[in-house]
Amino acid sequence: MFSKKMKKKIQKKINRSQIIVSNDTDLQFSDTPTENLIVCNAGLATGLHQEVLVEEVLRHVASSSLANINFPSGKSYCFLRFDSPETAQKAYEAMNGVAPLGQDGCVLLMAYSCSELPSKDSDPWRNDHLPPGLILIPDFVDERLESELLHIVKCTDDVEVGGSLKNRRVQHFGYEFLYGRNNVDRRKPLAQNIPAICDQLWEKLRLDRPTFGGFIPNQLTVNSYEPGQGIPPHVDTHSAFEDPIVSLSLGSDISMEFRDVEGNHVNVDLPRRSLLIMSGESRYGWAHGITPRKMDTIRLNNSLTVRNRGFRVSYTFRKLQDLPCHCKFPALCDTFKEESELRKHHLQENAAQLEQENVHKVYNEIAKHFSETRHTPWPQVAAFLNSLAAGSIVLDVGCGNGKYLDQNSHLSCLGCDRSDELLKVCASRGLNVLQCDCLALPFRASSVDACISIAVIHHLATAERRLRAVKEMARVLRPGGRALIYVWAKNQEANAKKSSYLRQNKHGNAIAAKRESNFGTEDTILPVHTNRTQFQYQDLLVPWKLRDVERQEHTTKATFLRYYHVFEERELEDLCGTVPDIIVEESYYDQGNWCVVFRKQC
Ligand code: MN
Ligand code: ZN
């Protein structure tokens, strides 16, 4: 049907778009038909909708022959898998260079692939694993009850509370759901209660799923969706409602999308008259939403097809609560966000005082014990010192017990620290030390050849103070001089090799699944870390347990809480990057620490 010239032109375009795909994936193209087709010039990034593509495909091949489709997020290509090379060829011949589904109505450019398409692991229509805690009960209400519930929606048209949102119409019972705050005002119950006809649902639920026998909701939101309408992805506010959230689908089937923070994606088909229970992880750790469109792609038996949407009503039942949430899913947790803001504010206001109490005072108390546990130099720090020219003047900012000051006889090392007790340890070993604050080093500019600061600036409580410490090191460094900084990493397993910090965990709980709940009570709102577990927070208090060695008992004599700001990946690099006149030369991870080597420009 194409002229030779036309065919050549299309093939040229296909070749060009294939380059984009092959740069991005390791897929092999095939000149002869295979069951795998790549649409090289259209995907999510060009605004192509999966259901539109599926509908087009099904105009040319039998509906049982489309095995899978895959729309990689943010890409301008997508994949189709058929049950045989023959059906793939049928679709190819009908659509390639013809179907105007590309950007701005461009025709689709397609190619066969002889590699397995990337679809198996990321098939959102797999219904063999729903988000954990998600329960779907089909045929939960019969048609009679369905039509009665639909009738209520129509009758309350004039007295509706909620009104029309951009995407759909809503009505509230019991309490109004306030969309601005994603919460309810529990002081203002509505005159309109949950319709009594709903009472039988809870009786039935108790018989069907005894675990949810206690669920009696006091808030109901009724959403009415015309075909083409949807609801943006969201999580029902953790602190506002109990677990579970329960939703009844009426009038028409619809596909609801669930996504977690790790990028997992599941399309859950909600048949009309089914009850959806979002509990546990599916309620707290997954966002759910309905994409506004007129049809859904669904999996029927083993192939994909499209289904038109009809007018759908959902009854979403919730039970109010007014408690901070302690779930394991901080990314979607309103309580966690609120507490983080409070902590951030607290740190800004009380930085110096916090460092005084939870750094300086603590180091003075634990100096002796601390010093006994810190004698082996870190190999990479030693290597940095070894790399310096003979006769270099080296300043160790926050030298602690001075373990790096007497390693190298070819260097002239000077240490400084805030802690009198640690300085006493240094002095007793005849080391060259003085007391000062790393935010105001008592040295002239450009006066030292090198600086090291090992596990120090993570004790400073704000980004401004950490920056000031780096700037001070840059200031005292001579042009061309180098500095090495070590800070604790939040991710203690950033390398495949576990850090010694986690390895020492005798209980084997390297990753604390549970969120910390033992917040400091009296004078701080910072979380207290559980030693030898993965860090859950960036700003926290880390216990130092002082054993009662004199009495030869393994009991803890006292616990001291040291303040830490543990660094995210690249955070230290970025911090140093904002300091004028220095260049970050190296950035690496070393046994639970983020490390940077920078040079002062000449
Ligand atoms: Mn919801
Ligand atoms: Zn939560």
Side-chain angles (χ1 to χ4, degrees):
M1 65 206 265
F2 289 120
S3 67
K4 254 194 181 151
K5 206 174 147 198
M6 203 46 186
K7 259 189 180 164
K8 227 174 157 185
K9 206 172 150 196
I10 291 173
Q11 194 52 47
K12 233 177 170 175
K13 279 188 182 171
I14 293 175
N15 292 346
R16 234 178 294 142
S17 56
Q18 279 186 358
I19 294 171
I20 299 175
V21 181
S22 52
N23 282 345
D24 233 43
T25 66
D26 43 20
L27 291 177
Q28 300 289 314
F29 294 96
S30 166
D31 294 333
T32 52
T34 67
E35 59 197 18
N36 301 313
L37 268 183
I38 305 174
V39 178
C40 301
N41 67 333
L44 286 177
T46 68
L48 177 61
H49 293 283
Q50 31 162 289
E51 70 280 2
V52 174
L53 181 64
V54 174
E55 198 188 27
E56 174 66 26
V57 170
L58 296 185
R59 284 173 50 196
H60 310 294
V61 302
S63 72
S64 59
S65 54
L66 179 60
N68 209 344
I69 64 173
N70 181 292
F71 273 63
S73 67
K75 300 297 181 190
S76 58
Y77 51 83
C78 60
F79 311 111
L80 295 160
R81 198 173 80 239
F82 294 85
D83 59 350
S84 70
E86 289 72 38
T87 41
Q89 187 178 7
K90 230 168 137 185
Y92 177 91
E93 279 167 3
M95 293 165 66
N96 182 37
V98 180
L101 300 181
Q103 202 157 24
D104 303 321
C106 282
V107 293
L108 294 185
L109 303 173
M110 305 169 94
Y112 298 107
S113 170
C114 50
S115 332
E116 189 64 24
L117 295 181
S119 60
K120 276 198 171 140
D121 298 328
S122 56
D123 178 358
W125 293 280
R126 280 183 73 156
N127 35 23
D128 54 345
H129 55 277
L130 293 178
L134 196 74
I135 297 163
L136 185 69
I137 311 177
D139 297 310
F140 190 76
V141 296
D142 58 22
E143 281 172 33
R144 228 187 80 201
L145 185 51
E146 178 188 37
S147 78
E148 281 180 64
L149 290 167
L150 287 170
H151 187 67
I152 292 174
V153 180
K154 291 187 192 113
C155 291
T156 45
D157 251 10
D158 322 322
V159 285
E160 72 184 48
V161 183
S164 232
L165 294 176
K166 201 168 112 205
N167 291 314
R168 61 199 194 277
R169 206 164 61 82
V170 293
Q171 294 160 250
H172 302 292
F173 300 85
Y175 292 85
E176 181 173 6
F177 186 89
L178 305 163
Y179 287 94
R181 292 163 43 197
N182 285 322
N183 208 326
V184 296
D185 186 344
R186 63 204 70 248
R187 293 163 307 180
K188 288 186 195 158
L190 296 172
Q192 206 169 29
N193 234 312
I194 297 181
I197 192 174
C198 297
D199 291 351
Q200 57 188 295
L201 298 174
W202 318 126
E203 182 63 22
K204 180 163 167 41
L205 182 63
R206 194 169 59 83
L207 296 172
D208 270 27
R209 306 279 158 147
T211 346
F212 299 104
F215 183 72
I216 308 285
N218 54 6
Q219 196 274 335
L220 164 63
T221 299
V222 178
N223 288 284
S224 304
Y225 299 89
E226 297 291 343
Q229 296 186 319
I231 184 168
H234 67 281
V235 60
D236 291 58
T237 309
H238 288 191
S239 66
F241 309 107
E242 279 186 13
D243 186 9
I245 308 286
V246 166
S247 189
L248 193 61
S249 291
L250 305 166
S252 168
D253 308 336
I254 211 158
S255 180
M256 184 177 261
E257 290 181 32
F258 282 79
R259 285 174 204 271
D260 72 0
V261 285
E262 271 135 44
N264 293 307
H265 172 198
V266 181
N267 292 327
V268 180
D269 195 31
L270 306 180
R272 62 188 285 192
R273 294 188 283 105
S274 67
L275 188 75
L276 180 73
I277 304 174
M278 287 180 268
S279 73
E281 183 176 329
S282 67
R283 184 250 182 280
Y284 292 108
W286 292 66
H288 56 276
I290 295 171
T291 307
R293 58 187 173 211
K294 292 200 168 156
M295 45 192 166
D296 288 314
T297 305
I298 54 159
R299 184 178 291 286
L300 211 60
N301 301 321
N302 226 357
S303 54
L304 294 178
T305 185
V306 286
R307 184 184 57 207
N308 285 320
R309 286 185 186 173
F311 176 71
R312 172 184 179 262
V313 169
S314 72
Y315 273 55
T316 300
F317 299 95
R318 306 180 181 98
K319 195 165 169 184
L320 268 57
Q321 68 166 18
D322 190 11
L323 289 170
C325 177
H326 291 295
C327 71
K328 298 176 199 166
F329 307 96
L332 298 174
C333 184
D334 61 303
T335 301
F336 182 85
K337 276 182 199 133
E338 205 173 286
E339 285 172 352
S340 313
E341 283 307 307
L342 276 174
R343 281 194 296 271
K344 219 166 133 189
H345 182 75
H346 175 87
L347 287 174
Q348 290 293 341
E349 299 292 303
N350 306 290
Q353 196 197 331
L354 178 77
E355 290 163 17
Q356 179 58 39
E357 278 300 308
N358 293 96
V359 181
H360 309 316
K361 229 171 127 181
V362 173
Y363 274 106
N364 272 343
E365 300 268 7
I366 67 173
K368 197 165 160 276
H369 183 214
F370 176 83
S371 182
E372 282 160 6
T373 61
R374 299 288 188 280
H375 26 75
T376 326
W378 293 56
Q380 303 219 54
V381 179
F384 175 82
L385 292 172
N386 285 331
S387 75
L388 300 171
S392 292
I393 299 170
V394 182
L395 176 64
D396 185 347
V397 180
C399 64
N401 67 349
K403 72 173 174 182
Y404 292 111
L405 296 177
D406 56 358
Q407 297 290 320
N408 298 69
S409 53
H410 75 291
L411 302 174
S412 184
C413 292
L414 173 66
C416 62
D417 207 280
R418 266 290 292 257
S419 164
D420 330 37
E421 295 301 320
L422 284 170
L423 288 169
K424 278 182 199 165
V425 174
C426 294
S428 73
R429 293 168 53 199
L431 299 170
N432 196 10
V433 292
L434 62 87
Q435 187 170 37
C436 70
D437 186 336
C438 67
L439 299 180
L441 296 173
F443 299 99
R444 276 179 296 150
S446 308
S447 58
V448 304
D449 297 302
C451 264
I452 59 170
S453 176
I454 310 304
V456 176
I457 69 167
H458 55 213
H459 286 312
L460 297 168
T462 66
E464 292 76 30
R465 293 167 77 82
R466 294 186 285 271
L467 179 63
R468 215 201 304 170
V470 179
K471 279 183 172 168
E472 273 296 87
M473 281 182 253
R475 183 182 64 78
V476 301
L477 213 54
R478 69 160 167 85
R482 289 191 300 150
L484 171 68
I485 302 178
Y486 265 57
V487 292
W488 274 17
K490 177 163 183 279
N491 184 358
Q492 288 292 309
E493 292 184 286
N495 274 4
K497 212 167 59 176
K498 277 186 188 168
S499 82
S500 61
Y501 182 78
L502 286 182
R503 222 172 18 231
Q504 286 166 32
N505 179 351
K506 291 181 193 78
H507 312 290
N509 47 342
I511 297 165
K514 152 174 145 281
R515 237 174 80 186
E516 314 268 359
S517 55
N518 49 337
F519 279 69
T521 42
E522 283 147 31
D523 48 359
T524 177
I525 57 163
L526 290 173
V528 177
H529 178 60
T530 307
N531 282 347
R532 312 288 168 215
T533 63
Q534 192 70 263
F535 293 115
Q536 309 284 309
Y537 296 87
Q538 271 206 280
D539 295 285
L540 59 145
L541 298 171
V542 178
W544 181 280
K545 290 188 173 136
L546 210 55
R547 306 263 177 230
D548 201 342
V549 273
E550 281 137 48
R551 288 164 60 192
Q552 295 290 306
E553 284 171 16
H554 286 285
T555 53
T556 303
K557 196 158 91 180
T559 299
F560 297 94
L561 297 175
R562 282 184 298 168
Y563 164 78
Y564 277 86
H565 171 84
V566 289
F567 280 62
E568 296 283 9
E569 185 167 4
R570 278 190 293 278
E571 185 180 345
L572 178 61
E573 215 178 314
D574 291 346
L575 185 75
C576 295
T578 62
V579 178
D581 302 328
I582 67 169
I583 289 172
V584 174
E585 290 194 330
E586 250 184 275
S587 174
Y588 59 94
Y589 184 84
D590 182 16
Q591 304 186 60
N593 297 274
W594 290 115
C595 324
V596 151
V597 175
F598 69 78
R599 186 187 291 275
K600 187 170 177 176
Q601 282 178 292
C602 295

Coordinates of all heavy atoms in Angstrom, one line a residue, residues 238 284 325 327 333, ligand 2:
H238 N -3.1 9.2 57.2 CA -2.8 8.2 58.2 C -3.4 8.5 59.6 O -4.0 7.7 60.2 CB -1.3 8.0 58.4 CG -0.6 7.3 57.2 ND1 0.7 6.9 57.3 CD2 -1.1 7.0 56.0 CE1 1.0 6.3 56.1 NE2 -0.1 6.4 55.3
Y284 N -1.3 2.0 54.2 CA -0.3 3.0 54.7 C 0.8 3.3 53.7 O 1.4 4.3 53.7 CB 0.2 2.6 56.0 CG -0.8 2.7 57.2 CD1 -1.3 1.5 57.7 CD2 -1.2 3.9 57.6 CE1 -2.2 1.5 58.7 CE2 -2.1 4.0 58.7 CZ -2.6 2.8 59.2 OH -3.5 2.8 60.2
C325 N 0.3 8.8 63.9 CA 0.4 7.5 63.3 C 1.8 7.0 63.6 O 2.8 7.7 63.6 CB 0.2 7.7 61.8 SG 0.5 6.2 60.9
C327 N 3.2 4.2 61.7 CA 3.3 3.2 60.7 C 4.8 3.0 60.3 O 5.6 3.8 60.7 CB 2.4 3.5 59.5 SG 3.1 4.9 58.6
C333 N 3.4 9.3 55.3 CA 2.8 9.5 56.6 C 2.8 10.9 57.0 O 3.8 11.6 57.1 CB 3.7 8.7 57.6 SG 2.9 8.7 59.3
Ligands
ZN2 ZN 1.7 6.8 59.1

